[in-house]
């Protein structure tokens, strides 16, 4: 191994590593976004009593007994067909748009969506000393702050798209987008503060790292193994609702609401540029769900009061860090996918709110609730540490 | 009329949080998720055709395999979108027992791109010669292909087992004394 990389100067090593990580993000997020779009179609279909896409199949795959048929019925190949279509379809560029910004907008949307992925820890393994080491691409200590800061840049892509499209529906959509995102950003941030106040108890190293939050939820004992969903249900609820609004999912998808805005900010977009918006949207969803799981659902710990380290002990996997790592990633992914399923499930359950209702919920209900919640936990934490 | 004032019940706190409602809704949609599918997988599974269904109109023959249409053109006149076009003609010379019918369609075309499946042609036909079939799936690559000619119409319609034999009775009555049957 060392023969290969040791004679490369460290600066170049770093660069190579960064490039590799970048590719890793792209190679993971694009398929996940695609799979989410497929899941979206399948879940929608099942909830509506339909079969959903189940026809497309690669010819030679049809000969694989059982598995081929199963994947076909699951619509896996429709996903490839969709991707291929979006890639090779004619890319329309309407005459009335501001061309440069029009083309820039999807890219602007993609960058924050991909950047946030790098700071999300997605698994952990135990090193020789039995210490839990989180797996993440960029281990920055500002964790949650980085995610909030970068993820909200995604709104610029919508504003840019709406403005550059130079027609009224996209414009209205992007105006709504900015208003809605600003309104819910506040509650979102306020709702996670109690969690970090709790984690950063006086006398410990201050951190905003998400991995630390998960670590906190994997301590022994009744309080230690408690996931934050049990400790702070109201925070979790506010975070969840705000997350729906931030990711523009129903019942808050005022931005795309096809009934009154045709397609919202991406009305004028087609083929690959349009699909980039969707990749961005789905990766926001994935990151949002991941953060929610990390904060409130114990990250890669299999069950409440059952941390990964204990499970590793039971399965005698201490000497297999790779297996433990894979296991933790699988546990984490299952939780994230369950969250994504929840997003889709809610989509077909709750009808879209009216715009004034969205604003009212955001400012008059969620924000006071978030502030009250923060105050409550301030007092509780203060009381705990005072006595 | 007495005016009854209805007072809307104020929402309870639980109702105003909207959460029990969302939970109940989630439960409902989850039940839908597990229910058997409502849709058919079309080309393999076909829907059951109810009686009285109005599919593609076609010409039918009587149980002896003889043409029933007498080219009266009533259907052509009644057809709202003017989908039917009939070229009237004489009964072919090779059917001597039907010469007393006098007329038969030389050509009979229904343009399925115009037809609206209203069933008026079937309603109006005095000879019960045109019926809307159960078939509902008509496809073609060109406009010309979508026009059903007489041959195709008889192929679609086949024979119909109702034994009226109106013209046979008419002939018998005529030969028996000229009276109507
Ligand atoms: S069904 Fe109606 S539209 Fe079609 S041919 Fe008969 S009369 Fe015309
Ligand atoms: S199908 Fe019936 S209505 Fe039409 S021309 Fe023939 S006999 Fe007359």
């Amino acid at each position: 191994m060392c023969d290969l990389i040791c004679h490369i100067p460290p600066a170049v090593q770093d660069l190579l590593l960064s490039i590799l990580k970048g590719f890793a993000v792209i190679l993971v997020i694009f398929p996940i976004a695609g799979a989410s779009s497929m899941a979206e179609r399948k879940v929608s279909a099942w909830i509506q009593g339909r079969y959903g896409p189940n026809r497309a199949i690669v010819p030679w795959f049809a000969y694989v007994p059982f598995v081929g048929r199963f994947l076909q019925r699951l619509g896996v190949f429709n996903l490839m067909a969709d991707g291929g279509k979006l890639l090779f379809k004619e890319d329309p560029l309407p005459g009335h748009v501001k061309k440069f910004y029009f083309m820039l907008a999807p890219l602007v949307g993609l960058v924050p969506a991909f950047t946030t992925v790098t700071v999300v820890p997605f698994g952990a393994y135990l090193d020789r000393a039995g210490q839990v080491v989180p797996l993440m691409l960029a281990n920055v200590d500002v964790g949650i702050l980085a995610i909030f800061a970068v993820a909200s840049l995604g709104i610029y892509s919508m504003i840019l798209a709406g403005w550059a499209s130079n027609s009224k529906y996209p414009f209205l959509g992007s105006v709504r987008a900015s208003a809605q995102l600003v309104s819910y950003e506040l509650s979102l941030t306020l709702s996670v503060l109690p969690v970090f106040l709790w984690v950063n108890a006086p006398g410990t190293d201050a951190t905003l790292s998400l991995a630390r939050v998960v670590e906190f939820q994997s301590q022994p004992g009744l309080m230690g193994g408690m996931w934050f969903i049990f400790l702070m249900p109201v925070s979790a609820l506010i975070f969840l609702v705000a997350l729906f609004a931030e990711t523009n999912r129903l019942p808050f998808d005022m931005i795309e609401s096809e009934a009154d805005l045709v397609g919202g900010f991406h009305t004028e977009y087609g083929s690959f540029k349009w699909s980039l918006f969707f990749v961005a949207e789905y990766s926001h969803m994935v990151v949002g769900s991941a953060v929610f799981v990390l904060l409130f659902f114990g990250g890669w710990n299999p069950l409440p009061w059952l941390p990964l380290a204990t499970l590793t002990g039971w399965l005698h996997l201490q000497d297999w860090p790779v297996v433990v790592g894979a296991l933790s990633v699988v546990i984490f992914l299952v939780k994230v996918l369950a969250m994504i399923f929840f997003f889709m499930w809610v989509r077909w359950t709750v009808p879209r709110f009216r715009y004034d209702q969205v604003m009212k919920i955001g400012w008059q209900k969620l924000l006071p609730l978030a502030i009250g919640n923060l105050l409550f936990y301030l007092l509780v934490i203060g009381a705990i540490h005072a006595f | 009329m007495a005016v009854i004032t209805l007072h809307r019940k104020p929402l309870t706190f639980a109702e105003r949080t909207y959460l029990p409602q969302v939970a109940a809704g989630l439960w409902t949609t989850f039940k839908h998720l597990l229910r058997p599918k409502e849709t058919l997988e079309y080309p393999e599974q076909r829907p059951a055709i109810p009686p009285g269904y109005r599919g593609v109109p076609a010409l039918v023959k009587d149980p002896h395999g003889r043409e029933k249409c007498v080219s009266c053109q009533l259907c052509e006149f009644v057809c709202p979108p003017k989908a039917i076009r009939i070229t009237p003609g004489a009964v072919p010379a090779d059917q001597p027992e039907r010469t007393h019918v006098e007329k038969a369609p030389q050509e009979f075309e229904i343009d399925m791109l115009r037809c609206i499946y209203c069933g008026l042609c079937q309603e109006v036909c005095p000879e019960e010669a045109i019926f809307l079939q159960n078939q509902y799936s008509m496809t073609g690559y060109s406009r010309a292909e979508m026009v059903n000619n007489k041959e195709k119409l008889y192929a679609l319609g086949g024979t119909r087992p109702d034994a009226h034999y109106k013209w046979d009775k008419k002939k018998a009555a005529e030969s028996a004394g000229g009276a109507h049957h």
Side-chain angles (χ1 to χ4, degrees):
Chain A
M1 185 74 176
C2 196
D3 301 342
L4 266 176
I5 52 171
C6 281
H7 63 270
I8 306 176
V12 183
Q13 270 185 27
D14 277 356
L15 187 70
L16 276 179
L17 210 58
S18 315
I19 292 173
L20 272 181
K21 282 176 175 175
F23 271 114
V25 169
I26 291 174
L27 285 182
V28 169
I29 285 299
F30 261 94
I32 286 190
S36 306
S37 76
M38 199 65 239
E40 178 103 65
R41 289 170 69 182
K42 278 309 244 195
V43 171
S44 309
W46 289 335
I47 288 181
Q48 294 166 359
R50 298 182 283 120
Y51 288 90
N54 61 1
R55 289 303 164 100
I57 190 159
V58 181
W60 48 262
F61 223 99
Y63 300 122
V64 182
F66 195 69
V67 178
R69 172 93 179 135
F70 177 71
L71 292 181
Q72 179 193 22
R73 301 297 292 177
L74 212 57
V76 171
F77 301 100
N78 273 73
L79 167 62
M80 300 179 195
D82 281 355
K85 184 202 84 174
L86 287 170
L87 206 59
F88 293 114
K89 200 175 150 175
E90 183 192 351
D91 207 349
L93 190 62
H96 55 77
V97 302
K98 304 193 169 56
K99 297 210 170 43
F100 177 71
Y101 298 105
F102 187 77
M103 303 223 261
L104 195 64
L107 298 178
V108 171
L110 216 54
V111 171
F114 280 4
T115 312
T116 47
V117 176
T118 57
V119 295
V120 174
F122 51 84
Y125 63 93
L126 299 175
D127 65 6
R128 294 275 171 232
Q131 206 67 34
V132 177
V133 182
L135 291 169
M136 58 208 289
L137 292 176
N139 197 350
V140 288
D141 194 43
V142 288
I144 188 80
L145 198 59
I147 290 178
F148 282 165
V150 179
S152 36
L153 290 181
I155 177 66
Y156 284 106
S157 112
M158 289 172 199
I159 295 176
L160 208 55
W163 175 72
S165 290
N166 202 6
S167 70
K168 60 185 164 202
Y169 293 124
F171 186 72
L172 284 174
S174 65
V175 168
R176 285 181 179 190
S178 33
Q180 176 178 324
L181 264 76
V182 167
S183 319
Y184 283 83
E185 195 89 31
L186 287 169
S187 325
L188 189 73
T189 317
L190 285 178
S191 71
V192 300
L193 279 184
V195 173
F196 283 93
L197 284 176
W198 196 277
V199 171
N200 292 306
T204 55
D205 281 345
T207 179
L208 286 176
S209 150
L210 288 165
R212 179 81 187 92
V213 178
V214 178
E215 228 172 276
F216 199 85
Q217 295 176 73
S218 18
Q219 292 166 358
L222 177 68
M223 283 303 278
M226 176 111 72
W227 289 359
F228 277 116
I229 177 85
F230 304 118
L231 213 52
M232 307 178 175
V234 179
S235 278
L237 178 74
I238 298 170
F239 188 83
L240 191 64
V241 174
L243 193 62
F244 272 84
E246 289 286 305
T247 48
N248 309 327
R249 296 288 304 182
L250 265 143
F252 294 102
D253 74 334
M254 302 313 304
I255 291 153
E256 278 153 50
S257 73
E258 61 275 356
D260 38 340
L261 287 187
V262 189
F265 68 95
H266 58 61
T267 304
E268 305 286 349
Y269 283 84
S271 76
F272 199 61
K273 288 205 282 290
W274 176 84
S275 72
L276 289 186
F277 277 125
F278 263 71
V279 171
E281 190 181 318
Y282 278 117
S283 64
H284 275 307
M285 227 166 101
V286 171
V287 172
S289 314
V291 171
F292 186 71
V293 167
L294 289 167
L295 288 179
F296 297 105
F297 275 98
W300 46 80
N301 293 319
L303 286 172
W305 296 287
L306 174 60
L308 184 68
T310 316
L311 186 73
T312 315
W314 289 354
L315 299 174
H316 302 292
L317 289 171
Q318 287 95 335
D319 299 328
W320 300 85
V322 179
V323 178
V324 176
L327 184 68
S328 70
V329 171
V330 168
I331 292 171
F332 182 62
L333 265 186
V334 166
K335 287 187 192 175
V336 171
L337 292 181
M339 271 300 295
I340 289 177
F341 170 75
F342 183 71
F343 270 92
M344 293 163 186
W345 185 14
V346 167
R347 175 178 178 184
W348 296 110
T349 303
V350 186
R352 179 182 296 133
F353 290 124
R354 237 170 29 225
Y355 192 62
D356 60 318
Q357 291 172 329
V358 169
M359 285 296 128
K360 212 170 165 175
I361 293 171
W363 289 106
Q364 296 191 349
K365 302 275 154 65
L366 227 44
L367 188 58
L369 189 62
I371 294 173
N373 181 52
L374 177 61
L375 284 178
F376 174 74
Y377 282 103
L378 270 179
L379 293 178
V380 169
I381 294 168
I384 288 177
H385 287 282
F387 303 115
Chain B
M1 206 166 68
V3 175
I4 303 171
T5 320
L6 286 179
H7 289 287
R8 200 174 276 207
K9 254 193 282 172
L11 295 176
T12 62
F13 178 72
E15 277 169 340
R16 271 185 299 146
T17 61
Y18 200 43
L19 293 175
Q21 280 67 35
V22 171
L26 284 172
W27 172 238
T28 307
T29 38
F30 190 74
K31 278 189 290 186
H32 275 268
L33 192 74
L34 302 178
R35 271 225 290 246
K37 308 281 173 275
E38 307 279 348
T39 48
L40 295 173
E41 299 204 53
Y42 168 60
E44 293 93 27
Q45 295 175 351
R46 300 291 178 121
I49 305 286
Y53 184 81
R54 302 201 304 258
V56 173
L59 293 172
V60 296
K61 293 183 170 162
D62 77 354
H64 296 312
R66 292 174 300 193
E67 189 163 40
K68 280 172 118 183
C69 173
V70 295
S71 190
C72 69
Q73 291 175 284
L74 278 176
C75 53
E76 185 175 1
F77 293 134
V78 81
C79 177
K82 303 203 183 307
I84 302 180
R85 174 130 310 171
I86 300 169
T87 314
V91 173
D94 58 346
Q95 298 171 6
E97 86 283 3
R98 284 186 71 242
T99 39
H100 65 296
V101 181
E102 293 176 5
K103 273 174 80 187
Q106 205 174 44
E107 188 45 275
F108 196 117
E109 285 176 346
I110 305 184
D111 186 347
M112 292 318 297
L113 292 176
R114 305 199 71 142
C115 175
I116 55 169
Y117 303 88
C118 63
L120 286 184
C121 48
Q122 173 178 342
E123 194 101 336
V124 81
C125 178
E127 302 294 322
E128 299 189 4
I130 189 164
F131 280 91
L132 271 68
Q133 310 290 318
N134 281 352
Q135 208 213 325
Y136 50 83
S137 153
M138 284 284 297
T139 49
Y141 287 105
S142 63
R143 280 166 187 278
E145 227 173 294
M146 294 300 287
V147 179
N148 287 338
N149 60 14
K150 187 172 151 183
E151 193 187 344
K152 218 157 146 195
L153 288 171
Y154 275 120
L156 275 171
T159 49
R160 207 174 165 88
D162 37 26
H164 298 313
Y165 307 125
K166 170 177 166 188
W167 292 96
D168 289 347
K169 286 179 190 157
K170 223 170 184 135
K171 194 170 186 181
E174 223 165 84
S175 53
H180 272 285
H181 63 86

